[in-house]
Structure formats: structure tokens, C-alpha cells
Amino acid sequence: MGRSSIAELLLSFAAAPAKDSFEEYQQLTAALWRDGELTELAHGAVSTVVDCLDEVADSHKGYLAILLGLLAEADPSPHGEVVAGVRKGLDRYLDLLARQPSGQPLALALLYLVGHFPEARDQIMSSVAGHRLAEDDLTRLTRVLQPLDADDVVLGRVWPSPAEWTLSEAEREHDRTWIARLSPEQVAATYAGDTLMLLGYSGAKAYWALQNGVPGRAASPDPYGDAAPENPPPFAPETIQRHTSALRCPTCHSRLIVADDVVTCTGCESQFSTAHGVLDLTGALAESGDPDDVLRNAAVQRRIGLFYENVLRPGFLRLMGSNWSNQIMPWHEDAYLVENTRPVDGPVLDLAAGAGRWTAVLTNALDGGRMIALDLNPVMLTWLRGRLPEVAAVRASALDLPFGEATLGAVNCWNALQALPDPASAITEIGRCLRPGGSFTLLTFRSSDDPIYRYFQNSFRGPGFPDGGMPLFRLEDIRTWLDQAGLTVRAESVPGTFILVTAERR
């Protein structure tokens, strides 16, 4: 395929009615760009694509803007031939943007496109100054165009938009402390990663809007997303004592006993910390770090639970679940959990519980004394203890669950499987620990069938996945892992790019 063939693809796309143009667009994109990489034809075709932007119908312009943004982003050099060719059209992009109503699909696509030209920041920001952009769109654009200032840098507190982060001075100082320990190369790499995450979110929002219309407004604050009290309550031995028949030592797998504030293995006699009410099974007591560090971090970042539930999580669901129309709202998830959690005898485990959003739902629906919240993050568990003091909080790995075989009555893993380093092994562990008839409820995400949207999904960089590419799934793989773990699927649905499954241990 040569330049003439690219011209033919452009002509076919331009001539196609709006309702029939998407297939033509996919063919055009695949000829120039594949999974974040330029094809050999891209270099010679950029100027033709830029010129075509003036010639196609308004219904087609946004798609070309997305394509041009993808081409600019794929150029391995910020001064490369492709990005330079795309940049030559900047004046016409800004002129077209100035004529679009704020928040409309074409305007969103153009914002994604012009976000790739930080060297033209002053020109771009001056052009959009009177455009009345939504605050999230404006601050996202401002940030992706902002060059790195090593003396005053914010890392990791910008997604899904800087507008949604309001840090206290104590939180800023906490960030300055850990940022100061990074090398210049690490700071630059993290800053660039944040930029790509914001571009990915902007691109996903625009691309979805071109196909479906203006995205819905963000949901109102989550009633379960409240902040924890000042300090978690002291350790209550009964929260762990009631589950000792299920709990096992992570080293020798013997049973545990509780005496005062210490939990001891009946086999190897290892002792485990219960500082701040959290049973820490990641190491013996002598190996644990300073437990006061956890409380200090929780105090400095006290509002992170609120940020997570009301800002980060909704943005994550929009990007990963294609939830731009709010088809899945928190109360839909609540209802699903309450309806599908069907425990048999034994504790109910909320796996990778985080700050306890879904633990709270299950605690309200079931006997709270049955609940165990497990996570690897001690700060999250400290917040959870503050809001749910009656729940047993356990720090342990999802890949080596500290429970005996067939000891749990039900397991929930909500919006977490994709964050685990070995999701198949986690499901195997769930199957090992569940009693026959016990339910397993799961919410996670599937990789989009659309390569462009899948690329935007893969822009997300989270803990454990600093280079992007958080593993999303195929429904077929989830089914296979469940079957191999002895679980039978009882219900499943895939709205957008969500996966919701209820399974039962055979």
C-alpha cells in the first residue's frame, strides 16, 4: 500500500455517510498507526491527512483529529518528522476549535490533538482563553502543555484532571519529601507518564463522544466515600478471634491464636502485629516496620479515601469501563453485590478491599461480624478500620491467601483483579478457600475490541504498572480461570467494557 492507496482510503472515509464512516476510518487508521506505533506509510501521509481535515464533513473531522493526535503521540521523537508534520496544521486546528461549542465531541477531539504541542503552549492557551472550557478539560490541557519544572513539580496528583485535586499544605509537603528522593531521571519519567495518562483520558473521552454523544456529567459524591475518623480504634481481639478457624499462618499454614494485642501461630510460633487494629500477616512481628509510620502517612493523606471514591475511581471506571454515560453508578454496584452475594457458613472476604467502600456495603447487607477486609496497603486498611471498626482488617497478599481450604463463606473482589500481578493465581486461591456453594462476586474490565480505545485504556499507569498496560481481560479468560478453580459461573454481564461475574464454588 502506497501514498495513492492512503489517498484512496481518505477519499472513501470522506465520502462515507456519517453512519457508515466508522469502518472506513478504522481501515485508514490501521494503515498509518497500529497499537501506538507508526506504520511505514505514516511519514509520507501526514500532510495529506492534515489537508483532508478542511475537506471532510463536520461529522468526520473529529475522527481525523483523533488520528492526527495518535500519529503525533506515536512519533518516538518530539521533534520527529511525523509530529512536525502534524504540528504544521496547528493554526487550522485552533481556528476550528474556536468555532466549536465547548464540550461537544469535535471540540473534545481537537483538545486531545492540540495537547501534543507543548512548545506552542502560549499560542494554544491564548487561543482557548475565551472558549469557556469545562474546568477539567482546561486544567488537563494546561497540564499536558506544561514543561517540567523540577523545582516545583506535582507527580501523581493530576489524573483524571488537576482540577479534581485540592491538596493541603501538609499533603504537598509530604509529596515534596518523597519526590526529593527521586533521581532527575525518575522525576522526568514519572512526569512524562502523568502526561500520557492525561492524554489517554482526554483521547478516550473524545473518541467515545464522537461515537456516542456528549459524555454524561460526573456522578454526585458517593455516600460511601466519606473520610475516616481522626484515628482508628484500638485493636479489638474479638474481630480476629471470631475468624481463627479460617485464618492460617502465612509461613507454616497452622492455625492462629489471639492473646491481647498479639496474634501467634500455633505451629511455628511466629507472632504478628495488630498495630492500629490491622492484623499484619506479611511478616513476623520482628520483621515489621515502624507501625507509627502507617498512622503518620494516614494522617497526612487522610482525604485520599475521599479522593479515591469520588474522583479517582469514577475516572477509572469511565476510562476502563467506557462508563462515560454513567451506565454503571455506585448504587447499581451496591444492588448487584447485595443481590448476588450468597454466603454459606464461614467468613465473607472482601479481597483487595482498599478503603472499604464495598466492605461497607456488604457489612450493611450482612452481619458485619462475618466480614474480613484484606488488602496489602496498610494505610488503606487503617482508614477502613476507622470507618468499620467491627470488621476484621487483615494485611496479606491476594496471591497467597492466609486461610485454610474451604473455610470462607463468600468472596468479593471488586474493581481490583486487574491491579493484581497474577490474576489467574488470585482466582485459584479464591477457589481453594471458598466452601462449596459459596459465592464469588467480581467486577473488573475487558480490553476493548476497538484498537484505538484499547490504546487509551492502556495509557493508565498505576502502582505496579508504571509503564502502562494494566492487564485487562477477555471474558473467555475469566471463565477459564474460574472453571479451573472449581467455580461455576451463575451470572455474567459486559456493559461497556466492564466484566461483572457471579460464580459459585462447586
Side-chain angles (χ1 to χ4, degrees):
M1 183 182 290
R3 183 175 299 183
S4 60
S5 298
I6 296 297
E8 291 172 3
L9 288 174
L10 277 166
L11 285 173
S12 296
F13 169 66
K19 62 182 179 64
D20 300 326
S21 63
F22 190 69
E23 183 176 347
E24 306 290 343
Y25 175 69
Q26 293 276 7
Q27 293 180 18
L28 171 64
T29 300
L32 303 175
W33 174 95
R34 292 175 191 167
D35 296 328
E37 303 283 342
L38 299 172
T39 71
E40 60 184 11
L41 299 177
H43 294 76
V46 169
S47 61
T48 306
V49 178
V50 172
D51 291 339
C52 190
L53 189 64
D54 291 333
E55 302 169 4
V56 297
D58 286 353
S59 59
H60 292 44
K61 293 182 188 297
Y63 288 103
L64 289 185
I66 295 289
L67 174 56
L68 288 167
L70 291 171
L71 295 177
E73 198 168 313
D75 196 324
S77 169
H79 308 292
E81 178 185 348
V82 170
V83 71
V86 177
R87 191 187 302 120
K88 287 180 179 179
L90 180 59
D91 288 341
R92 68 178 77 181
Y93 311 149
L94 293 176
D95 178 67
L96 182 58
L97 177 59
R99 293 184 274 116
Q100 304 307 311
S102 177
Q104 293 300 305
L106 177 52
L108 296 175
L110 290 163
L111 288 176
Y112 167 69
L113 170 56
V114 301
H116 291 86
F117 311 123
E119 68 285 350
R121 181 178 187 272
D122 291 344
Q123 177 187 358
I124 294 169
M125 296 312 299
S126 175
S127 178
V128 303
H131 199 56
R132 296 183 179 179
L133 295 178
E135 188 177 15
D136 64 319
D137 293 327
L138 177 60
T139 58
R140 199 160 32 241
L141 178 65
T142 302
R143 168 56 185 79
V144 298
L145 296 174
Q146 180 69 46
L148 170 62
D149 179 357
D151 294 325
D152 185 22
V153 62
V154 175
L155 299 179
R157 312 284 193 186
V158 297
W159 189 92
S161 81
E164 291 160 295
W165 286 91
T166 54
L167 300 180
S168 69
E169 184 53 35
E171 289 166 328
R172 287 298 307 274
E173 184 58 33
H174 178 82
D175 282 0
R176 292 187 194 104
T177 299
W178 68 261
I179 290 172
R181 293 196 289 263
L182 302 178
S183 69
E185 294 77 15
Q186 289 172 319
V187 170
T190 305
Y191 191 83
D194 284 351
T195 300
L196 288 174
M197 283 181 65
L198 290 173
L199 286 170
Y201 191 88
S202 177
K205 179 180 180 180
Y207 190 59
W208 185 93
L210 288 168
Q211 299 171 71
N212 300 279
V214 177
R217 292 180 178 273
S220 58
D222 186 343
Y224 280 96
D226 54 349
E230 280 299 309
N231 291 301
F235 175 63
E238 65 274 12
T239 62
I240 300 299
Q241 182 65 55
R242 64 173 68 107
H243 300 307
T244 52
S245 62
L247 285 162
R248 296 292 185 270
C249 171
T251 302
C252 71
H253 307 293
S254 298
R255 293 199 175 197
L256 304 177
I257 57 173
V258 182
D260 297 325
D261 291 345
V262 177
V263 175
T264 304
C265 173
T266 59
C268 64
E269 298 184 351
S270 295
Q271 293 185 327
F272 301 95
S273 169
T274 57
H276 313 304
V278 176
L279 172 58
D280 189 343
L281 295 179
T282 61
L285 187 58
E287 302 168 357
S288 299
D290 181 359
D292 288 337
D293 284 345
V294 173
L295 199 57
R296 281 192 290 269
N297 287 337
V300 170
Q301 304 178 68
R302 187 165 302 283
R303 295 181 301 154
I304 194 67
L306 183 65
F307 275 124
Y308 175 76
E309 300 298 352
N310 294 320
V311 176
L312 302 183
R313 187 177 182 278
F316 189 79
L317 264 60
R318 285 188 158 203
L319 175 65
M320 294 302 189
S322 309
N323 200 41
W324 302 98
S325 63
N326 297 323
Q327 62 180 319
I328 298 292
M329 298 293 281
W331 47 90
H332 297 140
E333 299 174 80
D334 296 349
Y336 185 97
L337 271 183
V338 171
E339 179 181 351
N340 289 280
T341 302
R342 293 287 180 265
V344 293
D345 289 343
V348 176
L349 174 66
D350 191 12
L351 180 60
R357 169 62 176 83
W358 309 108
T359 318
V361 173
L362 292 172
T363 296
N364 288 340
L366 306 169
D367 174 8
R370 297 188 67 180
M371 294 300 303
I372 300 175
L374 185 146
D375 203 279
L376 202 53
N377 186 322
V379 176
M380 285 287 195
L381 289 173
T382 300
W383 291 317
L384 185 148
R385 279 281 297 150
R387 70 194 300 190
L388 297 169
E390 72 275 27
V391 171
V394 177
R395 185 182 182 211
S397 170
L399 306 185
D400 186 15
L401 292 176
F403 305 104
E405 293 186 10
T407 56
L408 300 178
V411 177
N412 174 56
C413 184
W414 210 252
N415 189 18
L417 189 70
Q418 71 283 345
L420 301 180
D422 188 347
S425 293
I427 289 178
T428 298
E429 277 291 275
I430 290 165
R432 178 184 68 81
C433 297
L434 264 177
R435 287 182 170 176
S439 63
F440 172 48
T441 45
L442 171 71
L443 180 144
T444 188
F445 307 92
R446 65 179 181 87
S447 293
S448 175
D449 297 329
D450 184 323
I452 297 175
Y453 197 87
R454 184 168 62 245
Y455 172 77
F456 292 138
Q457 287 179 310
N458 289 337
S459 71
F460 186 84
R461 286 157 165 74
F465 306 96
D467 298 324
M470 178 176 283
L472 306 183
F473 309 108
R474 299 185 311 157
L475 181 59
E476 294 79 6
D477 292 333
I478 298 287
R479 289 171 177 158
T480 297
W481 296 338
L482 291 170
D483 182 63
Q484 291 174 345
L487 293 155
T488 299
V489 173
R490 296 303 186 198
E492 64 182 33
S493 59
V494 286
T497 45
F498 287 92
I499 294 176
L500 291 93
V501 173
T502 300
E504 182 180 293
R505 185 66 168 96
R506 293 193 289 271

